[in-house]
Amino acid sequence: MATWLGLVVAMAALLVSALTAYVAYRHRREDVQTARVTAYFHWNVAFAKVSLGDGQEPVQVGYNLVVWNQGPASALRVGLVIMDTDGRVVDLAGVDEDEFPLDRLDGGGRYPVQFAARDKRYHGVRRYQAKLTWTDGNGRHEHVVPLRKGQTSL
């Protein structure tokens, strides 16, 4: 009887060990396949001039919006939509129509965009939201990042 009980305990311990190893493997695999995409404002020391189009005067731009993949895996089909705090889409003059979604943003990769709104009512506005979408080894993701202009640099 004692041998039987010892065998059951040993089998249970083996099962728990195997399950723990499997869970650790899955977590590690998910981490390796994860892209963590975010966005931030980068303050430029020197201003750049950006054309707003339609014969408007160029505006001076002091910020770049940087899309950053902090994860180890590549982010595919990275989409970016800039919105004001009320959720209205803000059209950026420095972004071409077909620029987003980006095909690929590798782990650690950064993609800067000159931040100049075409609509003059946004000139001087400090708060925005960036809606980011991407696909990685764990599926499709969507993330909204609140943004505020300020003298920062990462």
Side-chain angles (χ1 to χ4, degrees):
M1 177 81 173
T3 305
W4 222 106
L5 185 58
L7 186 59
V8 169
V9 169
M11 291 300 286
L14 181 62
L15 180 63
V16 168
S17 293
L19 186 59
T20 302
Y22 175 74
V23 168
Y25 165 77
R26 290 281 302 181
H27 282 358
R28 177 69 182 137
R29 192 171 132 220
E30 285 177 11
D31 285 347
V32 169
Q33 294 179 349
T34 298
R36 288 185 290 279
V37 180
T38 190
Y40 65 92
F41 280 124
H42 171 78
W43 178 65
N44 298 321
V45 177
F47 286 99
K49 288 193 177 197
V50 175
S51 172
L52 299 179
D54 299 331
Q56 296 183 51
E57 281 290 314
V59 295
Q60 288 189 339
V61 175
Y63 290 91
N64 281 350
L65 176 71
V66 181
V67 178
W68 182 16
N69 179 2
Q70 297 174 311
S74 294
L76 307 174
R77 308 239 350 116
V78 179
L80 170 68
V81 176
I82 300 299
M83 300 173 292
D84 63 14
T85 54
D86 295 326
R88 291 184 297 261
V89 174
V90 177
D91 184 26
L92 298 181
V95 178
D96 295 332
E97 276 184 35
D98 60 348
E99 194 164 349
F100 286 95
L102 298 174
D103 288 334
R104 179 184 182 118
L105 186 60
D106 288 331
R110 298 175 198 222
Y111 189 84
V113 175
Q114 290 178 327
F115 197 84
R118 284 193 200 279
D119 191 336
K120 290 196 180 216
R121 70 179 164 177
Y122 291 115
H123 297 180
V125 173
R126 297 177 66 93
R127 295 181 186 272
Y128 296 92
Q129 299 177 65
K131 179 180 175 186
L132 300 158
T133 56
W134 72 94
T135 303
D136 61 17
N138 296 315
R140 183 160 167 72
H141 305 276
E142 183 176 304
H143 185 54
V144 176
V145 179
L147 299 169
R148 183 181 184 278
K149 288 182 181 177
Q151 188 172 340
T152 61
S153 178
L154 288 179

